[in-house]
C-alpha cells in the first residue's frame, strides 16, 4: 500500500516548474513558493526547505503545521489537506531527535546553530509571532548561561547570549500581547546584561557600558525591578574596573531602590567598597555595617552565576572593603570565612570565579601581615586556573598580589621571587585576547 503522503509528491510532480515549461516543480522550489506565499499573507518569515518537503513525501511527517498546510494547498492548488495525504493524528507527535554530544570541543558553532534552529521551529509550531513556550525557552536559555558562567568556556556562552538578544528583538519587531512584549524585553535585557558582564571579564568594560544602556531601556520597558537592579550592578562593575569608583558608587546606590533578592546584598556590599576606594572611609564603614545586616529574601527567584550574591560572595566583597580601609586582619577574617563557605557549597552551584577573587584577597592580607607562606598557599590554588577562565579582573587582581610581593618585608626572599615569577607566567595567558564588538 503506498504511503498516504505520496499524494503530495504526485501533486508536486504535476505542478509546472518556473524554470522551463513542462518541467516538474522541485522540492526546493515548492518550499520556496510556500514560504513566499506565507510571507505575502502573514509578513512572517518561515524556514521551510526541500529537506522538510522530502520528509512530508516520505511520510516521516504526516501532519505539518497549519501554516505549512495552508501554503501547500495554495501552491499545489488543492481543496483540502486530504488531497495531499495529510491526516490529523489522534495524539501528539514527536520531533526527530537530534544527535548530541557531551563535549563542546570544536562544536560550539554547530551547537549554537542547532539550538537556534530548534527555537525557530518552536515559534513556527505555535503558529504566531511568539508564544508562551518561545518566551519560556528564551528565559530558560538565560538561566542555563548564568549557571554555566565561569564553569564552561566563555566564548560559547557569549555567542549564545548574543543569539538570545537578537532573537528577542526580532520577535519584538512583530506583534504580540503586552504581557509577552514585556517578557521579550526582559529576555533581551537579561541577555544584554550577560553580554556586558562577559565584556567586563574579557577586559572591555567600555563595551559593557554600551550593552547596559540598552539593557536598562529593556528593564524599563519590561517593568522589571530585578532586571533594573542587576543592570545597575553590572554598570557598577563596569565603572569599578575602569577605576571610576565615584560613578560605581552612584550606580550601586541607585540600584538599591530596585533590589529585591540577593541583588540587595550585592549592591549594599559593593557600595561600601566603592566608598572606601574613593577615600570616604566613614561612609564606607556605615555602608559596610548596613551590608552586613542585610537579609536576603528567599521568596525571590534568582538566576544564578553573576546574578546571585551568596553569603560567601558577600564575605569576599566585605574583605575587599576592609582591605581598602587598611584593615588586613578583618580582610583575612572575612576572606577565610568566605573560602570555607565556598568549599562547603555543592559543586553544581559553587561560584569558582568569585572564589578565586576571594583567595587573592586572602593572599593580599597575608602579605600585608608579613605571612609569605599563607599568601603562597592562597595563590597556589588560583595558579591552577585553566586558561579559559583567566578573566581580566582575575589577571588584574593577581598582578596586584605580584606587586605586593615586591613591596613586602619578604621581597628578597627566594620564595617571594618564586611567587612573583609564577604569577608573571600566569598573567601571560589571559582567557581571551579577542574583544567583543557587539
Amino acid at each position: 500500500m503506498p504511503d498516504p503522503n505520496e499524494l503530495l509528491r504526485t501533486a508536486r510532480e504535476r505542478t509546472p516548474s518556473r524554470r522551463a515549461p513542462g518541467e516538474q516543480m522541485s522540492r526546493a522550489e515548492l518550499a520556496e513558493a510556500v514560504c513566499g506565499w506565507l510571507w505575502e499573507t502573514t509578513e512572517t518569515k518561515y524556514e521551510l526547505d526541500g529537506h522538510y518537503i522530502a520528509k512530508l513525501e516520505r511520510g516521516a511527517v504526516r501532519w505539518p503545521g497549519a501554516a505549512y498546510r495552508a501554503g501547500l494547498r495554495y501552491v499545489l492548488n488543492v481543496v483540502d489537506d486530504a488531497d495531499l495525504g495529510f491526516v490529523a493524528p489522534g495524539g501528539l507527535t514527536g520531533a526527530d531527535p537530534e544527535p548530541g554530544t557531551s563535549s563542546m570541543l570544536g562544536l560550539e558553532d554547530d551547537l549554537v546553530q542547532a539550538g537556534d534552529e530548534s527555537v525557530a521551529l518552536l515559534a513556527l509550531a505555535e503558529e504566531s509571532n511568539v508564544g508562551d513556550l518561545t518566551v519560556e525557552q528564551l528565559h530558560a536559555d538565560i538561566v542555563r548561561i548564568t549557571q554555566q558562567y565561569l564553569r564552561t568556556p566563555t566564548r560559547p556562552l557569549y555567542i549564545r547570549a548574543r543569539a538570545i538578544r537578537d532573537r528577542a528583538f526580532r520577535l519584538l519587531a512583530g506583534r504580540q500581547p503586552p504581557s509577552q512584549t514585556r517578557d521579550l524585553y526582559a529576555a533581551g535585557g537579561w541577555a544584554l546584561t550577560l553580554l556586558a558582564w562577559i565584556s567586563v571579564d574579557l577586559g572591555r568594560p567600555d563595551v559593557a557600558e554600551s550593552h547596559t544602556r540598552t539593557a536598562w531601556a529593556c528593564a524599563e520597558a519590561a517593568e522589571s525591578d530585578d532586571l533594573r537592579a542587576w543592570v545597575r550592578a553590572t554598570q557598577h562593575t563596569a565603572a569599578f574596573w575602569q577605576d571610576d569608583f565615584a560613578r560605581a558608587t552612584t550606580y550601586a546606590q541607585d540600584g538599591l531602590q530596585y533590589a529585591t533578592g540577593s541583588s540587595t546584598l550585592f549592591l549594599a556590599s559593593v557600595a561600601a567598597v566603592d566608598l572606601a576606594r574613593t577615600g570616604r572611609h566613614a561612609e564606607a564603614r556605615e555602608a559596610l555595617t548596613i551590608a552586613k545586616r542585610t537579609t536576603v529574601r528567599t521568596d525571590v527567584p534568582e538566576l544564578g552565576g553573576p546574578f546571585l550574591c551568596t553569603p560567601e560572595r558577600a564575605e569576599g566583597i566585605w574583605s575587599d572593603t576592609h582591605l581598602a580601609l587598611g584593615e588586613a586582619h578583618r580582610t583575612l577574617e572575612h576572606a577565610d570565612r568566605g573560602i570555607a563557605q565556598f568549599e562547603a557549597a555543592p559543586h553544581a552551584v559553587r561560584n569558582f570565579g568569585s572564589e578565586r577573587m576571594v583567595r587573592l584577597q586572602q593572599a593580599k592580607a597575608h602579605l600585608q601581615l608579613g605571612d609569605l607562606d599563607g599568601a603562597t598557599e592562597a595563590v597556589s590554588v588560583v595558579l591552577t586556573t585553566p586558561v579559559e577562565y583567566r578573566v581580566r579582573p582575575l589577571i588584574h587582581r593577581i598582578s596586584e598580589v605580584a606587586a605586593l610581593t615586591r613591596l613586602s618585608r619578604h621581597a628578597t626572599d627566594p620564595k617571594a621571587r618564586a611567587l612573583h615569577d609564577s604569577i608573571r607566567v600566569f598573567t601571560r595567558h589571559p582567557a581571551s585576547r579577542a574583544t567583543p564588538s557587539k
Side-chain angles (χ1 to χ4, degrees), residues 34 62-74 81 84 86 127:
V34 170
R62 296 177 178 272
W63 187 249
Y68 283 175
R69 298 198 311 274
L72 289 166
R73 290 196 305 269
Y74 175 81
D81 294 327
L84 298 176
F86 298 144
E127 298 181 340

Side-chain angles (χ1 to χ4, degrees), residues 2 7 11 19 39 54 58 89-91 105 113 155 165-166 183 185 188 226 300 320 325 339 375 420 433:
L7 293 171
R19 290 178 296 181
W39 173 256
R58 292 196 311 269
L105 185 61
Q113 181 178 352
R155 178 171 172 77
R165 175 201 65 181
D166 294 345
D183 287 341
Y185 273 118
D226 192 34
V300 176
D320 196 6
L325 293 171
I339 291 300
H420 184 275
R433 296 186 182 278

Side-chain angles (χ1 to χ4, degrees), residues 39-264:
W39 173 256
E40 291 176 0
T41 55
T42 69
E43 294 187 357
T44 300
K45 184 178 179 181
Y46 288 85
E47 302 294 337
L48 181 64
D49 59 19
H51 297 294
Y52 191 77
I53 297 296
K55 284 187 176 183
L56 295 176
E57 293 183 350
R58 292 196 311 269
V61 178
R62 296 177 178 272
W63 187 249
Y68 283 175
R69 298 198 311 274
L72 289 166
R73 290 196 305 269
Y74 175 81
V75 173
L76 297 176
N77 194 27
V78 299
V79 176
D80 56 33
D81 294 327
D83 293 332
L84 298 176
F86 298 144
V87 178
L92 297 177
T93 59
D96 295 334
E98 295 290 340
T101 177
S102 62
S103 172
M104 290 291 290
L105 185 61
L107 294 177
E108 292 93 346
D109 292 342
D110 290 339
L111 288 173
V112 170
Q113 181 178 352
D116 290 347
E117 290 168 352
S118 296
V119 176
L121 290 174
L122 176 59
L124 171 64
E126 292 180 325
E127 298 181 340
S128 67
N129 169 257
V130 60
D132 291 338
L133 292 178
T134 301
V135 174
E136 181 182 328
Q137 181 65 52
L138 289 172
H139 286 275
D141 286 346
I142 291 165
V143 172
R144 185 160 52 249
I145 293 173
T146 60
Q147 295 177 348
Q148 291 176 346
Y149 193 53
L150 292 186
R151 303 171 63 85
T152 62
T154 302
R155 178 171 172 77
L157 300 183
Y158 184 85
I159 293 172
R160 188 68 192 142
R162 190 170 64 183
I164 295 170
R165 175 201 65 181
D166 294 345
R167 186 177 306 114
F169 277 92
R170 281 199 302 270
L171 291 170
L172 281 167
R175 291 174 294 186
Q176 60 276 149
S179 62
Q180 289 183 340
T181 299
R182 287 192 294 271
D183 287 341
L184 287 174
Y185 273 118
W190 284 115
L192 284 157
T193 310
L194 276 166
L195 290 174
W197 202 278
I198 294 173
S199 297
V200 171
D201 277 350
L202 295 184
R204 290 302 302 271
D206 56 327
V207 172
E209 291 186 331
S210 298
H211 292 304
T212 57
R213 292 186 189 100
T214 307
W216 180 258
C218 287
E220 293 279 80
E223 300 178 354
S224 169
D225 278 347
D226 192 34
L227 179 54
R228 287 184 180 111
W230 281 111
V231 171
R232 286 294 191 237
T234 308
Q235 289 174 315
H236 150 272
T237 304
F240 182 90
W241 289 107
Q242 295 177 84
D243 293 333
D244 191 344
F245 303 118
R247 191 157 56 93
T249 303
T250 300
Y251 283 132
Q253 292 176 333
D254 184 68
L256 281 168
Q257 67 179 303
Y258 308 106
T260 51
S262 69
S263 59
T264 306

Side-chain angles (χ1 to χ4, degrees), residues 321-360:
T321 306
H322 282 295
L323 194 69
L325 293 171
E327 300 168 351
H329 283 96
R330 299 300 305 279
T331 296
L332 200 55
E333 174 188 331
H334 286 291
D336 288 348
R337 188 181 301 130
I339 291 300
Q341 292 173 335
F342 276 118
E343 292 177 339
H347 185 273
V349 297
R350 188 169 170 180
N351 188 331
F352 291 99
S354 294
E355 180 180 339
R356 295 179 190 114
M357 299 293 277
V358 179
R359 289 187 186 277
L360 295 179

Side-chain angles (χ1 to χ4, degrees), residues 423-434:
I423 293 174
R424 286 185 61 191
V425 173
F426 180 90
T427 58
R428 289 183 188 138
H429 303 284
S432 174
R433 296 186 182 278

